[in-house]
């Protein structure tokens, strides 16, 4: 799953589509597997240092607030997933296409790609001051997002093994990719004297429940937007090597093809479930998830201007490039997408940034909690009105159920 994991929490955490699923399971959701037993409002990052000679690991604990914009962990109704991929029930399954995709994943083009060298630690030692903390946050968020994908794909691979072994194996191989990405990012954190305790994250994070069709929409978008983020950063730094301050970006060219293959797989999954693509509800949900992903990324990135400036990018121009390219790619499969190329689209995004910054400023003030809540109400209302107005913009009708036979492709 991409570094920009889907957060459908634009307003009130998109509770139209989700619910928080913690440790307790009622009789009405026995078919839902929860990975974590202890939901927590905070997740922890552990700084690691070793005592000379004894090799004793000393853990320095740091807590980071979990907000609506932080990467999320997902769970779903696995019994419904099993029904969707049961060949006796679903006659739309194109096993030939899944077989072709499986061979792509088995080839494992990046098996030997994620090999570190001495350049990593040397580059990290040169990153000092505020930029150092910015890089740490980038690695933390990216690692968390990739690890989230690993957990979801691993469980889907396990649960679908009997129902559809081919689809199950693809999910397992995608979890391999995500684990590899997360491990590589976590190793990068060690260059800065830190490491994520991924076992703690597994147990302590809240898991957001998505119905299977929402998993398809959200994860497809997450993978495709991840592709465009990675390849765009790679191309920029290749053309402007003076901003290549840390070697992890040199790996993005091959890395992004994992994201692209994952997205292609979810495209095939949706083609096998035409009810998710061919009616008016599908059009509404497609637009909703597109906007959720685009708005979340834009708000996240504009809070981190220093990071993008540090690698020579204009944050808003970069984000709009990624949004437009992702939207064009998504239009090949989704029945409707937002008109992101309308000038009004970015104007609305920029107004949301202003409202978000105002909310952050109130939150950081010394005013009493009750007063803060009152101050936030009109701003939240303005933000919600802007989101609604964006949703009501005339969409671009897109997508098709008349697909050509699958051919693995590199899209850049």
């Amino acid at each position: 799953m991409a570094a920009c994991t889907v957060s459908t929490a634009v307003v009130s955490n998109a509770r139209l589509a989700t619910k928080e699923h913690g440790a307790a399971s009622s009789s009405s959701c026995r078919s839902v597997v929860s990975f974590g037993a202890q939901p927590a409002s905070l997740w922890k990052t552990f700084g690691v240092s070793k005592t000379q000679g004894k090799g004793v690991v000393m853990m320095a604990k740091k807590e980071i607030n979990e907000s609506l914009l932080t990467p999320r962990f997902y769970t779903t109704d696995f019994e419904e997933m099993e029904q969707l991929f049961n060949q006796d029930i679903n006659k739309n399954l194109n096993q030939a296409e899944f077989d072709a995709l499986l061979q792509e994943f088995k080839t494992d083009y990046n098996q030997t790609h994620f090999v570190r060298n001495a350049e990593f630690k040397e580059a990290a030692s040169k990153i000092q001051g505020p930029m150092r903390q910015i890089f740490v946050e980038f690695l933390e968020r990216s690692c968390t997002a990739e690890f989230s994908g690993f957990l979801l794909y691993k469980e889907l691979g396990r649960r679908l093994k009997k129902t559809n072994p081919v689809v199950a194996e693809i999910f397992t191989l995608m979890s391999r990719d995500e684990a590899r990405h997360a491990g590589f990012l976590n190793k990068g954190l060690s260059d800065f004297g830190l490491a994520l305790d991924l076992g703690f994250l597994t147990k302590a994070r809240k898991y957001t429940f998505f119905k299977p069709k929402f998993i398809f929409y959200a994860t497809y978008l997450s993978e495709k937007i991840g592709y465009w983020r990675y390849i765009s950063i790679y191309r920029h730094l290749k053309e402007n090597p003076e901003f290549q301050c840390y070697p992890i970006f040199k790996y993005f060219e091959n890395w992004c093809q994992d994201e692209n293959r994952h997205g292609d797989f979810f495209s095939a999954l949706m083609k096998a479930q035409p009810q998710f693509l061919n009616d008016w509800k599908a059009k509404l949900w497609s637009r909703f998830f597109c906007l959720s992903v685009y708005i979340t990324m834009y708000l996240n990135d504009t809070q981190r201007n220093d990071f993008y400036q540090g690698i020579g990018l204009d944050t808003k121009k970069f984000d709009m490039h990624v949004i437009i390219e992702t939207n064009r790619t998504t239009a090949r499969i989704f029945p409707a997408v937002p008109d992101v190329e309308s000038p009004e689209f970015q104007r609305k995004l920029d107004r949301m940034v202003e409202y978000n910054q105002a909310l952050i400023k109130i939150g950081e003030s010394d005013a009493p909690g009750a007063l803060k809540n009152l101050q936030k109400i009109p701003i939240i209302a303005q933000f919600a009105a802007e989101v609604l107005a964006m949703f009501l913009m005339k969409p671009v009708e897109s997508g098709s159920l008349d697909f050509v036979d699958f051919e693995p492709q590199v899209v850049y």
Side-chain angles (χ1 to χ4, degrees):
M1 200 171 289
C4 178
T5 293
V6 177
S7 171
T8 57
V10 179
V11 179
S12 71
N13 198 23
R15 298 202 181 275
L16 287 171
T18 69
K19 63 182 178 182
E20 295 297 343
H21 187 75
S25 297
S26 67
S27 59
S28 64
C29 57
R30 287 173 185 161
S31 61
V32 179
V33 174
S34 173
F35 302 114
Q38 296 178 345
S41 59
L42 296 173
W43 61 283
K44 300 175 183 179
T45 311
F46 293 90
V48 178
S49 61
K50 291 187 178 180
T51 303
Q52 290 287 341
K54 298 180 181 179
V56 178
V57 178
M58 306 299 292
M59 311 299 280
K61 185 170 67 176
K62 180 178 68 172
E63 293 184 340
I64 297 178
N65 288 325
E66 180 179 291
S67 73
L68 296 182
L69 299 180
T70 54
R72 295 186 174 274
F73 284 17
Y74 297 97
T75 186
T76 191
D77 186 333
F78 294 102
E79 286 189 2
E80 183 182 343
M81 280 285 193
E82 290 171 359
Q83 293 176 3
L84 291 174
F85 295 106
N86 187 315
Q87 298 177 65
D88 295 329
I89 298 174
N90 187 353
K91 302 303 181 182
N92 292 308
L93 293 173
N94 185 344
Q95 284 300 128
E97 182 172 4
F98 290 130
D99 288 339
L101 280 163
L102 178 58
Q103 292 310 309
E104 275 282 289
F105 282 100
K106 280 185 173 180
T107 303
D108 195 7
Y109 297 102
N110 287 333
Q111 183 177 11
T112 60
H113 178 61
F114 294 94
V115 178
R116 287 164 49 88
N117 53 45
E119 188 181 354
F120 279 80
K121 284 190 178 296
E122 182 180 348
S125 67
K126 295 178 181 178
I127 302 174
Q128 298 296 331
M131 194 63 179
R132 187 174 180 85
Q133 180 55 40
I134 291 168
F135 257 85
V136 166
E137 184 183 357
F138 162 73
L139 293 169
E140 286 174 344
R141 294 175 62 84
S142 300
C143 182
T144 305
E146 298 284 357
F147 188 64
S148 167
F150 159 73
L151 291 175
L152 178 64
Y153 297 160
K154 180 182 178 182
E155 187 64 16
L156 283 166
R158 186 182 72 83
R159 289 295 298 263
L160 296 174
K161 194 172 293 185
K162 293 182 180 179
T163 305
N164 195 317
V166 172
V167 170
E169 188 172 359
I170 294 174
F171 272 119
T172 299
L173 292 174
M174 290 204 309
S175 74
R176 169 206 67 195
D177 295 342
E178 300 293 312
R180 186 179 286 157
H181 301 164
F184 195 66
L185 288 158
N186 210 14
K187 192 67 176 176
L189 276 169
S190 70
D191 297 329
F192 295 85
L194 299 165
L196 282 173
D197 186 330
L198 299 178
F200 177 87
L201 286 179
T202 305
K203 296 177 182 178
R205 285 298 295 272
K206 288 181 178 179
Y207 285 77
T208 300
F209 176 84
F210 269 13
K211 293 176 65 176
K213 70 175 180 179
F214 300 143
I215 288 286
F216 294 162
Y217 297 143
T219 312
Y220 172 84
L221 281 163
S222 177
E223 298 290 2
K224 287 300 184 180
I225 207 167
Y227 166 81
W228 282 110
R229 286 174 66 84
Y230 286 154
I231 194 59
S232 299
I233 290 174
Y234 174 82
R235 288 170 176 169
H236 162 73
L237 292 176
K238 187 175 182 180
E239 293 175 2
N240 302 277
E242 68 273 18
F243 292 106
Q244 184 73 260
C245 53
Y246 188 63
I248 200 166
F249 302 117
K250 296 178 181 178
Y251 291 73
F252 277 12
E253 182 181 29
N254 286 37
W255 189 333
C256 74
Q257 289 306 321
D258 283 345
E259 311 293 342
N260 191 44
R261 277 186 287 273
H262 295 182
D264 288 345
F265 174 57
F266 277 96
S267 178
L269 295 184
M270 286 187 282
K271 286 158 56 178
Q273 314 294 336
Q275 71 275 20
F276 297 162
L277 298 172
N278 63 4
D279 62 13
W280 64 271
K281 289 184 290 186
K283 290 183 177 183
L284 292 178
W285 282 120
S286 295
R287 289 161 55 201
F288 171 81
F289 276 95
C290 283
L291 290 178
S292 297
V293 172
Y294 302 159
I295 293 170
T296 299
M297 183 184 77
Y298 203 81
L299 295 180
N300 262 322
D301 288 354
T302 51
Q303 289 182 51
R304 294 164 178 82
N305 275 319
D306 289 345
F307 172 78
Y308 293 97
Q309 289 174 2
I311 58 174
L313 285 169
D314 180 299
T315 308
K316 291 184 176 181
K317 288 181 179 179
F318 167 73
D319 272 22
M320 285 309 303
H321 166 74
V322 169
I323 287 171
I324 288 170
E325 294 299 339
T326 302
N327 207 57
R328 290 173 178 173
T329 302
T330 302
R332 300 172 190 170
I333 181 72
F334 280 22
V337 294
D339 184 5
V340 302
E341 297 182 57
S342 165
E344 182 59 26
F345 183 84
Q346 186 172 3
R347 284 196 287 268
K348 289 184 181 300
L349 283 177
D350 288 338
R351 285 194 287 269
M352 290 181 206
V353 169
E354 293 175 6
Y355 299 142
N356 190 50
Q357 289 172 342
L359 290 171
I360 292 171
K361 187 175 181 180
I362 292 171
E364 292 175 346
S365 72
D366 295 328
L371 179 58
K372 286 183 182 181
N373 291 335
L374 286 173
Q375 291 172 332
K376 287 179 180 180
I377 289 173
I379 301 173
I380 292 173
Q382 289 175 302
F383 187 98
E386 206 67 65
V387 173
L388 179 61
M390 181 179 279
F391 185 78
L392 294 176
M393 288 174 64
K394 185 178 179 180
V396 176
E397 299 290 326
S398 59
S400 173
L401 291 179
D402 301 321
F403 295 95
V404 297
D405 291 337
F406 171 76
E407 293 182 6
Q409 294 181 351
V410 175
V411 301
Y412 71 93

